[in-house]
Amino acid sequence: LRHRVGCIIVPRNNSGNVADPSMKLTLAHLGFQKIVSVDPLDEVEIPGGKIISLPFPGEHVDLDIHSRHGILVELMQKRIALLVDSDGRDSNLFKRVVNRIGKKIDILLIGMECHGAPLSWLYGPLLTKAITRRNDESRRLSGLDSERAWNVLQQFDVAQVFIYAMGQEPWLKYIMGLEYTADSIQLKEIRLLLDRCRQANICAEQLFIAREMEL
């Protein structure tokens, strides 16, 4: 796709932190020409609207990592927010975000990997000394569970909610090592959120493989 890409927008990294390498430098090394680094709540104008970088709390085992962000896309009078795997633990943060970007969201996409891999699964090679199993298990690559997801939804005026990026597509099991069963905590939490949304008359759905949405 390189020849079709005009500009790549990436979050600014935490310079000097070995666990947070620069995406801008990496992409430049791969040959991309126009790369824009943004801080949280920076805006990038696009034809017919704009893209706003959103803070990304959680899912990186409490390490001081900056090069991850959510995205708010404003296009043709519609607003789509992608919160990726934000863990939603700090409701005050989302209140402050709403004060900056407003409550109205037409489509909200969230991840609900609420029992992610432990610290060492991703960052083990960067550790300079061994850690105990207890400490390893206490810092996981986790996103929203149903309660935290609901708390996030309460901050916005949302028309539609989609749960995505759960890695359930059959080809992803070879990359991510995920094979949920009906009793998996992740799917249980998703069902709890979907039920709660239905009771509140919020249109909610878990995405799988592909989904077309008309704006």
Side-chain angles (χ1 to χ4, degrees), residues 160-202:
Q160 290 181 284
V161 178
F162 293 101
I163 301 161
Y164 77 133
M166 294 302 296
Q168 289 191 274
E169 288 73 14
W171 54 86
L172 288 177
K173 67 181 180 181
Y174 302 106
I175 301 171
M176 303 178 67
L178 293 175
E179 288 191 80
Y180 298 142
T181 68
D183 292 329
S184 296
I185 184 63
Q186 294 90 341
L187 299 189
K188 288 181 178 179
E189 291 294 318
I190 288 173
R191 290 193 292 268
L192 286 172
L193 180 66
L194 294 178
D195 288 343
R196 199 164 184 176
C197 286
R198 279 191 286 268
Q199 294 171 13
N201 293 318
I202 299 173

Side-chain angles (χ1 to χ4, degrees), residues 65-126:
I65 291 175
H66 296 183
S67 57
R68 311 188 71 169
H69 63 178
I71 293 290
L72 175 67
V73 179
E74 294 188 0
L75 190 64
M76 307 288 287
Q77 310 301 315
K78 298 292 185 179
R79 308 179 87 220
I80 304 170
L82 301 93
L83 298 186
V84 203
D85 291 311
S86 170
D87 67 10
R89 292 183 185 276
D90 187 355
S91 59
N92 287 323
L93 171 63
F94 286 97
K95 291 178 182 178
R96 294 169 68 90
V97 169
V98 165
N99 288 338
R100 290 287 299 272
I101 69 172
K103 290 180 67 70
K104 179 65 177 176
I105 299 291
D106 294 287
I107 297 176
L108 177 67
L109 293 100
I110 57 175
M112 290 188 64
E113 172 48 86
C114 56
H115 188 66
L119 164 68
S120 60
W121 184 81
L122 187 60
Y123 295 104
L126 302 178

Side-chain angles (χ1 to χ4, degrees), residues 37-73:
S37 294
V38 295
D39 291 312
L41 300 176
D42 279 353
E43 299 183 5
V44 178
E45 298 294 328
I46 58 175
K50 60 185 176 181
I51 296 172
I52 303 175
S53 174
L54 301 178
F56 188 134
E59 211 261 344
H60 36 233
V61 294
D62 299 324
L63 297 179
D64 191 16
I65 291 175
H66 296 183
S67 57
R68 311 188 71 169
H69 63 178
I71 293 290
L72 175 67
V73 179

Side-chain angles (χ1 to χ4, degrees), residues 3 12 23 34 44 111:
H3 67 285
R12 196 181 313 278
M23 296 175 66
K34 188 175 181 182
V44 178

